[in-house]
Amino acid sequence: MRKLSIVASCFILALTVWAQQAQAPVEITSESSHHLVLDNPFVRVFAVSVDPGKSTLMHRHAHDYISIAIGDSQITNTKEGAQPVPVSFKDGDVRFSAAPLVHAVGDSGSTPFHNRTIELMKPTTNEKACTESCEVPIPCDAADKVACPSAVKLFGSDEWTALMVTLPPGAKIPEHTHKGNVLSIPLSESDLTMKVKGKPESTAHTKIGAVRWNDPETHAVSNTGTTTAKIFLLEFVGQP
């Protein structure tokens, strides 16, 4: 019975995508599965949600964008004029897509498809995925190195760097300086303590998928909770 249900769901999804191939593409801001959560001169960030068996409208990306998967999912990606292509995401997968792109996304799995889509409002030049020397060194004096924080460079360009930062419980990233603006999106719930230079210490409970825009600053970060903190960072190039 469950197998029949999955087949029926895929058939309905295929019919939906076929119908949308004949539909004129809409702007991303008019696509109902894309919810705008941040808009500034650097980025537009959308919270995307598609239920199983459903699909977005055929929509247009006029800007390069980075997508971050929130949870595991199975989708079909249908580019304008092309056949649907199955795609699998693992929680925390980060991918870069170049503009222009017109496509529809259908949820072919049994769980909702969630992501954060970060449109880059300024041109991207020399973008490439990091393939070597991707670990970003972070000082750590913990006896057990498993307790040390880590940062991995995922993508880079002339204008920005995308990283994944992990802080085990008790881990601390010493004071450091972000010369440019930073977009942060937690991929886990955790309790962090922040010490911005020249300001009082503050604490925050991160929510999965929450979007935060940060100005250039010098700060230190500690995980004062009992769960590992995993955070996506998009850091823009600032003044030297």
Side-chain angles (χ1 to χ4, degrees):
M1 183 64 73
R2 185 172 181 274
K3 188 175 287 187
L4 267 177
S5 176
I6 292 173
V7 170
S9 178
C10 289
F11 178 70
I12 293 169
L13 180 58
L15 286 178
T16 302
V17 171
W18 176 82
Q20 287 168 354
Q21 286 280 25
Q23 159 243 321
V26 300
E27 296 301 320
I28 189 173
T29 49
S30 299
E31 208 296 301
S32 60
S33 298
H34 289 72
H35 308 281
L36 184 65
V37 294
L38 178 66
D39 188 357
N40 65 35
F42 291 87
V43 297
R44 284 195 307 193
V45 184
F46 297 87
V48 181
S49 181
V50 183
D51 288 331
K54 303 293 184 181
S55 174
T56 70
L57 296 174
M58 189 70 65
H59 59 280
R60 181 180 295 105
H61 291 273
H63 304 278
D64 297 341
Y65 69 93
I66 296 170
S67 63
I68 306 157
I70 310 293
D72 298 349
S73 57
Q74 300 279 336
I75 69 161
T76 58
N77 182 32
T78 307
K79 294 182 180 180
E80 187 177 36
Q83 293 297 311
V85 176
V87 183
S88 296
F89 289 99
K90 291 294 185 183
D91 183 40
D93 278 354
V94 177
R95 304 189 186 185
F96 174 87
S97 298
L101 173 64
V102 178
H103 72 159
V105 174
D107 187 335
S108 55
S110 58
T111 58
F113 167 67
H114 297 296
N115 87 0
R116 297 295 178 267
T117 292
I118 305 166
E119 284 203 322
L120 301 158
M121 304 307 289
K122 298 185 177 184
T124 292
T125 54
N126 296 322
E127 178 279 329
K128 61 179 181 180
C130 188
T131 56
E132 56 183 33
S133 301
C134 301
E135 291 282 343
V136 179
I138 299 175
C140 178
D141 56 8
D144 183 359
K145 296 308 177 185
V146 173
C148 288
S150 63
V152 178
K153 180 179 177 181
L154 307 174
F155 296 92
S157 77
D158 294 335
E159 298 78 23
W160 47 263
T161 301
L163 308 111
M164 192 68 73
V165 177
T166 304
L167 288 90
K172 178 179 180 179
I173 299 178
E175 187 175 280
H176 59 284
T177 299
H178 294 279
K179 295 179 180 178
N181 298 97
V182 179
L183 174 72
S184 63
I185 301 178
L187 297 175
S188 62
E189 293 206 13
S190 56
D191 294 295
L192 301 180
T193 297
M194 307 278 291
K195 180 62 179 75
V196 178
K197 190 173 183 178
K199 296 182 180 180
E201 192 173 77
S202 62
T203 59
H205 181 77
T206 65
K207 295 286 188 180
I208 296 172
V211 176
R212 180 174 176 177
W213 183 255
N214 304 279
D215 292 329
E217 64 183 17
T218 298
H219 67 182
V221 183
S222 301
N223 183 352
T224 50
T226 58
T227 59
T228 296
K230 188 175 181 181
I231 306 166
F232 169 82
L233 296 181
L234 182 64
E235 182 168 12
F236 290 86
V237 174
Q239 296 299 318

